[in-house]
């Protein structure tokens, strides 16, 4: 066995996933290694805290919110397809000069854009225009495990959480490492806010920038 037991082995030991021989070898190592025993206890405390987190039911209006979002995306796709068909029709007409076709296409684009703005105002959909405050100098984007994270001030926030406050804060150190499900996010460093098991959780990796 290596000088120290890995986090994956300790996690498998806690989940009773090791074969009997592997379990016996690990337990003999723990008897002789205070450092690994300390890491095991830290991991056991983290797992216990995660199990104590209560599951939060989704908001009552979640279904209607999803339906409105899907309908809005479908409308945008329809407008885009209509614009593409119209532009192709304009530019394949041999009787139109290129300048006239360009003018018609620009006028059509302006018309469809103004229509979309009026419709979004009527349905309550907001059009967000990037400003200097949200420029890459203030905000950085990274992807971990297929999930996007935005660097907002000194916290990595998972995309979609907005300004949601964390319902639990979990701190991890070298002696009390993150469980395998959360360990990949340590690559972000510092404070990481994400959705985990139906809750908004903030992870704090001590010693990280």
């Amino acid at each position: 066995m290596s000088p120290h037991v890995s986090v994956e082995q300790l996690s498998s030991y806690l989940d009773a996933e090791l074969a009997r021989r592997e379990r016996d070898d690990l337990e003999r190592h723990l008897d002789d290694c205070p450092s690994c025993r300390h890491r095991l206890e830290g991991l056991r405390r983290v797992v216990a805290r995660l199990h104590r987190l209560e599951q939060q039911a989704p908001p009552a209006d979640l279904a209607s919110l999803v339906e409105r979002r899907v309908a809005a995306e479908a409308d945008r796709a329809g407008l885009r397809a209509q614009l593409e068909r119209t532009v192709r029709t304009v530019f394949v007409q041999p009787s139109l000069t290129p300048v006239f076709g360009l003018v018609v296409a620009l006028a059509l684009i302006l018309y469809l854009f103004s229509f979309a703005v009026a419709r979004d105002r009527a349905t309550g959909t907001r059009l967000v225009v990037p400003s200097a405050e949200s420029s890459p100098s203030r905000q950085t984007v990274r992807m971990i495990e297929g999930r996007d994270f935005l660097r907002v001030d000194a916290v990595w926030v998972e995309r979609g959480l907005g300004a949601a406050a964390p319902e639990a804060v979990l701190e991890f150190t070298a002696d009390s490492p993150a469980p395998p499900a959360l360990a990949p996010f340590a690559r972000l460093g510092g404070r990481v806010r994400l959705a985990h098991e139906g809750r908004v959780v903030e992870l704090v990796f001590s010693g990280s920038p």
Side-chain angles (χ1 to χ4, degrees), residues 148-160:
D148 288 336
F149 289 83
L150 307 178
R151 181 75 170 182
V152 181
D153 294 329
V155 182
W156 288 99
V157 181
E158 183 176 2
R159 189 186 297 275

Side-chain angles (χ1 to χ4, degrees), residues 172 185-191 204-209:
F172 304 105
F185 303 106
R187 296 198 300 268
L188 292 171
R191 307 181 74 89
V204 180
F205 297 98
S206 300
S208 301

Side-chain angles (χ1 to χ4, degrees), residues 23-204:
R23 187 183 68 243
D24 293 341
D25 290 343
L26 188 144
E27 288 176 346
R28 282 194 295 270
H29 177 82
L30 291 174
D31 290 339
D32 299 329
C33 183
S35 177
C36 288
R37 286 201 306 272
H38 186 66
R39 294 173 65 198
L40 177 64
E41 290 304 318
L43 185 58
R44 183 177 282 120
R45 289 194 298 271
V46 171
V47 172
R49 288 200 298 268
L50 287 175
H51 285 317
R52 287 197 297 269
L53 291 176
E54 297 179 358
Q55 296 295 327
Q56 183 179 15
D61 59 345
L62 178 61
S64 60
L65 289 174
V66 172
E67 290 177 359
R68 288 200 297 270
R69 182 62 181 271
V70 171
E73 293 297 331
D75 288 345
R76 292 190 183 94
L79 285 173
R80 184 165 55 250
Q82 179 183 353
L83 175 60
E84 292 174 353
R85 289 195 300 269
T86 304
V87 170
R88 284 197 299 268
T89 301
V90 168
F91 280 101
V92 298
Q93 294 294 332
S95 60
L96 296 177
T97 65
V99 175
F100 180 71
L102 180 60
V103 171
V104 173
L106 290 175
L108 181 61
I109 291 173
L110 291 175
Y111 169 76
L112 290 176
F113 180 75
S114 62
F115 172 77
V117 171
R119 186 205 59 213
D120 289 342
R121 286 178 178 173
T123 58
T125 304
R126 297 180 59 192
L127 296 178
V128 180
V129 179
S131 63
E133 294 183 354
S134 60
S135 63
S137 62
R138 292 282 303 277
Q139 211 171 44
T140 305
V141 180
R142 287 186 61 185
M143 178 178 289
I144 300 292
E145 297 291 301
R147 299 159 71 173
D148 288 336
F149 289 83
L150 307 178
R151 181 75 170 182
V152 181
D153 294 329
V155 182
W156 288 99
V157 181
E158 183 176 2
R159 189 186 297 275
L161 292 184
E167 302 170 63
V169 178
L170 303 177
E171 297 186 9
F172 304 105
T173 64
D175 293 331
S176 180
L182 300 176
F185 303 106
R187 296 198 300 268
L188 292 171
R191 307 181 74 89
V192 182
R193 190 174 304 164
L194 50 77
H196 180 68
E197 298 184 351
R199 304 289 298 273
V200 178
V201 179
E202 186 163 301
L203 313 179
V204 180

